[in-house]
Amino acid sequence: MIIIDNLQKSFGRNEVLKGINLNIRDGVITAILGPNGSGKTTLIKSILGMVIPGDGSIEMNGKGIHNNWKYRNQIGYLPQIARFPENLKVKELIRMIKDIRRTEGKEDPLAEMFDLKQAMDKPLRHLSGGTRQKVNILLAFMFESPNYILDEPTAGLDPLSLIRFKELLIAEKKNGKAILLTTHIVSLVEELADDVIFLLEGNIFFSGSVEELKSKYGGLKLEHSIANILSGQHV
Ligand SMILES: Nc1ncnc2c1ncn2[C@@H]1O[C@H](COP(=O)(O)OP(=O)(O)O)[C@@H](O)[C@H]1O
Ligand SMILES: [Mg+2]
């Protein structure tokens, strides 16, 4: 559970987050939508402690994150662009992340699920984009964290891996995990998201279910409702 209260962040004169209030609930998949530059990554980085907010507070599982770096062990994070040492083999990278987290994770079931056994002995520079993304998924989920933060997690996945990924998310949701993701893939939101947050110009423009978003902003399909909001036909 992550509770965000009145979160504000400016870069110079650019007010990117203007007082965000948001609960990321346990056992729920929350999707953050919003056009490029609307502050999705800034919000995620604030939760991770990579961006220091100008005002407001963030609580994770009942404790404020300010001056309390240990909370990061409660997060499985999948960055939009992961940069790892290219010469490391996949299994060496996994070892390195385990050492950094000082936790033995469980990579075998995930390696099985995403058909990564053969990739383990390959250096990262030899991997295709989709295989890299599968490695990122494995790293994000192998520590069985109570909270997951996933920035565009399905980029480059083949159809079978995408099905496996959706199954994984549904299983983790059933396990009571709090799952936050950003994506531009509308079908993924439609299939998986319980709570939808739409960021626009630094504020939460909409918060509710997919069905509520559709009925409020027209369009039988979610993509049309989103297009209506983005093209300014919502007023
Ligand atoms: N480190 C930074 N320094 C200055 N401006 C930034 C920085 N990070 C993000 N911004 C600005 O904040 C706004 C929101 O960016 P971002 O959170 O990356 O949006 P999104 O992820 O929704 O595309 C943009 O106007 C971007 O230029
Ligand atoms: Mg972003």
Side-chain angles (χ1 to χ4, degrees):
M1 174 87 154
I2 305 168
I3 299 174
I4 297 170
D5 183 39
N6 189 34
L7 185 70
Q8 296 180 39
K9 179 66 188 176
S10 298
F11 293 106
R13 264 189 245 157
N14 183 6
E15 280 182 75
V16 177
L17 302 174
K18 299 178 183 167
I20 301 292
N21 296 297
L22 180 59
N23 282 6
I24 316 287
R25 303 185 285 146
D26 291 340
V28 164
I29 298 175
T30 303
I32 306 185
L33 310 182
N36 297 328
S38 58
K40 301 180 296 294
T41 297
T42 303
L43 177 60
I44 283 180
K45 287 189 173 172
S46 303
I47 299 172
L48 294 164
M50 294 158 72
V51 156
I52 306 301
D55 203 356
S57 67
I58 300 174
E59 240 180 50
M60 181 166 293
N61 299 10
K63 277 182 87 172
I65 67 168
H66 190 62
N67 288 334
N68 161 32
W69 53 270
K70 276 194 178 165
Y71 80 95
R72 290 187 194 173
N73 280 337
Q74 299 174 35
I75 303 174
Y77 171 48
L78 189 147
Q80 186 168 10
I81 300 169
R83 298 194 196 281
F84 298 118
E86 292 288 305
N87 285 332
L88 282 188
K89 291 177 180 168
V90 172
K91 66 179 182 192
E92 293 167 342
L93 173 66
I94 292 171
R95 183 71 254 162
M96 186 182 90
I97 303 288
K98 284 181 178 182
D99 290 344
I100 291 171
R101 284 192 66 137
R102 294 195 192 133
T103 315
E104 284 299 317
K106 272 197 216 159
E107 73 267 33
D108 286 345
L110 291 159
E112 189 85 35
M113 185 183 285
F114 290 102
D115 196 18
L116 282 170
K117 289 269 157 90
Q118 306 232 321
M120 286 294 167
D121 285 308
K122 292 188 184 164
L124 287 157
R125 71 188 139 83
H126 286 181
L127 301 186
S128 70
T131 305
R132 258 166 206 270
Q133 190 66 351
K134 294 197 283 182
V135 171
N136 289 338
I137 291 172
L138 181 143
L139 292 172
F141 284 91
M142 65 180 282
F143 298 104
E144 303 180 310
S145 312
N147 304 283
Y148 292 108
I149 298 182
L150 314 167
D151 208 348
E152 289 283 346
T154 62
L157 292 184
D158 63 53
L160 179 59
S161 307
L162 183 59
I163 289 172
R164 294 278 178 272
F165 176 74
K166 289 184 209 168
E167 288 168 354
L168 176 63
L169 275 197
I170 290 166
E172 291 290 14
K173 167 179 151 167
K174 286 210 182 106
N175 283 336
K177 308 298 177 73
I179 302 168
L180 176 66
L181 61 89
T182 74
T183 181
H184 292 293
I185 316 289
V186 174
S187 62
L188 195 71
V189 177
E190 209 148 22
E191 271 180 70
L192 291 178
D194 306 291
D195 288 353
V196 178
I197 307 297
F198 204 106
L199 280 186
L200 207 56
E201 292 164 10
N203 292 302
I204 294 182
F205 176 79
F206 170 86
S207 163
S209 68
V210 171
E211 285 312 313
E212 283 162 353
L213 184 72
K214 284 202 284 196
S215 69
K216 205 163 168 192
Y217 295 103
L220 291 171
K221 287 181 156 186
L222 181 61
E223 60 188 349
H224 294 148
S225 319
I226 292 173
N228 285 345
I229 295 174
L230 292 179
S231 61
Q233 288 173 19
H234 52 275
V235 276

